[in-house]
């Protein structure tokens, strides 16, 4: 019998994937042929089944068994497992926070703008309208505060490792954000992304003029860049991996070969099979079958 090669990857925070956790998995699928990707952190379980539905059933049982643990469980195909194109969102994905909210905090209206951001990321508002509304509230703010905001911006754990490792393995990497080019360029430089795309702030006399220079980059543009890069690089749909957290990421997440939600908003979590909810961006490498010994360490 020939089998379609599905694999379940289980990832825990470092050193937490111990025998007690493995004992919870064993009743649902044998670990006899399981392969460690990183000792006590990540393990692969290749499934001997020719049915996606059967594979998903096993996946769901294991996930339910580990529900009370800080463990992430993923189900993917072994076909084109190591991706050749990475597209990542920036805010709350590659970086820890929402950079626009952080900028607003610098001028004392952080909570007001964060409330709008939250609704937009949950899919409750039209993204472009929400973006224009927030930027209008920042009219006449000094552009110097952009740099001050950047100084407080932190990368999420594993961001540099993810990009550096995939680049080392000859994947193309793109940072595509509904945020702003001032920040995406700096994040792209720090992580090593090949390219970055985002919105542009209107600035006059070194002050924000309260506008976003059109066209606005939103969910349609993220999907556009996924399709563009797939064509330009002569890749198949299965060759791509996308990562994001908000509603405007959904089109690129659901149309990629592998779409991963990173601590996603509820509207995103409901539509994705694979979600990073307890671990770091390193998991996006484990999902592709990379071992920890293949990782390129953080750049610092």
């Amino acid at each position: 019998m020939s089998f379609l090669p599905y694999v379940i990857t289980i990832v825990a925070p470092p050193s937490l994937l111990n025998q007690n956790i493995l004992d919870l998995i064993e009743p649902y699928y044998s670990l006899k042929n399981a392969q460690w990707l990183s000792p006590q952190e990540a393990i692969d379980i290749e499934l001997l089944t020719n049915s996606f539905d059967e594979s998903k059933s096993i996946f769901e049982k294991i996930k339910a068994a580990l529900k009370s643990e800080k463990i992430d469980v993923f189900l993917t195909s072994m076909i084109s497992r190591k991706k050749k194109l990475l597209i990542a969102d920036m805010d709350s994905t590659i970086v820890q926070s929402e950079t626009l909210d952080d900028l607003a905090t610098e001028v004392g209206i952080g909570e007001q703008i964060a409330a709008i951001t939250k609704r937009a990321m949950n899919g409750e508002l039209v993204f472009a309208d929400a973006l224009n509304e927030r930027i209008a509230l920042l009219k006449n703010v000094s552009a110097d505060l952009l740099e001050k905001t950047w100084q407080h911006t932190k990368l999420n754990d594993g961001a540099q490792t993810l990009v550096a490792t995939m680049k080392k393995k000859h994947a193309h990497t793109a940072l595509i954000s509904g945020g702003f080019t001032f920040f995406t360029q700096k994040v792209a430089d720090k992580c090593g992304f090949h390219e970055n795309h985002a919105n542009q702030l209107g600035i006059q006399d070194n002050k924000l003029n309260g506008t976003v220079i059109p066209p606005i980059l939103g969910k349609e543009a993220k999907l556009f860049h996924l399709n563009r890069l797939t064509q330009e690089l002569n890749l198949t749909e299965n060759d791509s991996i996308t990562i994001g957290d908000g509603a405007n990421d959904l089109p690129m997440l659901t149309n990629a070969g592998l779409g991963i939600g990173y601590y996603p908003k509820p509207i995103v979590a409901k539509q994705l099979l694979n979600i990073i909810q307890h671990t770091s961006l390193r998991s996006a490498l484990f999902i592709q079958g990379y071992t920890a010994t293949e990782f390129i360490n953080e750049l610092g």
Side-chain angles (χ1 to χ4, degrees):
M1 179 183 291
S2 60
F3 296 106
L4 290 174
Y6 294 105
V7 60
I8 289 176
T9 305
I10 299 172
V11 186
S15 302
L16 291 187
L17 192 53
N18 54 36
Q19 189 60 49
N20 290 335
I21 300 297
L22 299 181
D23 288 343
L24 295 174
I25 300 168
E26 190 74 36
Y28 303 100
Y29 206 82
S30 172
L31 298 179
K32 180 179 179 181
N33 296 317
Q35 299 289 324
W36 284 103
L37 299 172
S38 178
Q40 294 189 306
E41 181 183 13
I43 195 168
D44 259 357
I45 308 169
E46 190 168 346
L47 303 179
L48 299 178
T49 173
N50 59 0
S51 165
F52 171 75
D53 289 340
E54 186 177 346
S55 298
K56 187 178 179 183
S57 176
I58 297 168
F59 161 77
E60 289 175 342
K61 289 175 182 176
I62 291 175
K63 195 168 184 178
L66 300 178
K67 188 175 182 179
S68 62
E69 308 293 335
K70 293 182 178 180
I71 307 291
D72 286 328
V73 185
F74 309 101
L75 175 64
T76 54
S77 170
M78 293 287 282
I79 298 173
S80 301
R81 191 177 184 193
K82 288 183 169 64
K83 306 305 182 184
K84 299 176 183 177
L85 170 63
L86 165 69
I87 296 181
D89 173 46
M90 178 180 71
D91 293 312
S92 298
T93 300
I94 294 298
V95 303
Q96 292 181 8
S97 58
E98 296 284 334
T99 48
L100 182 54
D101 295 357
D102 293 344
L103 174 61
T105 297
E106 294 289 343
V107 296
I109 57 171
E111 291 186 4
Q112 183 179 358
I113 284 187
I116 302 172
T117 300
K118 183 177 180 180
R119 292 184 66 198
M121 292 302 97
N122 282 327
E124 299 171 18
L125 300 173
V126 175
F127 178 79
D129 293 345
L131 186 63
N132 284 325
E133 181 181 357
R134 286 175 288 169
I135 293 304
L137 292 170
L138 293 171
K139 186 175 182 179
N140 293 324
V141 166
S142 171
D144 293 339
L145 289 180
L146 292 168
E147 180 61 32
K148 186 176 180 181
T149 300
W150 167 246
Q151 294 303 318
H152 299 301
T153 302
K154 296 181 180 180
L155 298 178
N156 273 316
D157 183 29
Q160 291 173 308
T161 293
L162 170 61
V163 178
T165 301
M166 291 196 69
K167 285 180 67 178
K168 182 71 173 182
K169 300 299 181 178
H170 309 294
H172 188 81
T173 59
L175 181 68
I176 303 180
S177 171
F180 293 95
T181 53
F182 178 89
F183 297 108
T184 59
Q185 186 60 60
K186 290 181 179 296
V187 172
D189 290 344
K190 193 167 184 177
C191 290
F193 282 96
H194 287 107
E195 59 183 88
N196 72 94
H197 304 274
N199 291 298
Q200 295 187 61
L201 283 167
I203 297 176
Q204 293 178 329
D205 300 325
N206 201 43
K207 292 182 178 181
L208 275 60
N209 66 13
T211 68
V212 181
I213 298 173
I216 288 180
L217 190 156
K219 61 183 180 181
E220 296 85 1
K222 291 189 176 190
L223 179 58
F224 166 81
H225 284 295
L226 169 62
N227 292 332
R228 173 185 66 81
L229 287 168
T230 299
Q231 294 175 4
E232 288 180 2
L233 299 170
N234 196 29
L235 303 176
T236 68
E237 179 185 276
N238 285 335
D239 290 323
S240 60
I241 178 173
T242 55
I243 304 175
D245 71 298
N248 64 325
D249 296 315
L250 270 171
M252 76 169 186
L253 292 172
T254 56
N255 283 277
L258 175 59
I260 301 173
Y262 181 79
Y263 294 82
K265 308 301 184 289
I267 190 175
V268 177
K270 289 178 182 178
Q271 297 188 48
L272 296 180
L273 187 65
N274 292 301
I275 295 170
I276 298 174
Q277 193 69 60
H278 301 290
T279 56
S280 74
L281 288 167
R282 287 162 54 94
S283 292
L285 293 170
F286 289 132
I287 295 169
Q288 297 177 72
Y290 287 107
T291 64
T293 57
E294 296 178 277
F295 289 5
I296 305 301
N297 291 331
E298 302 284 352
L299 302 178

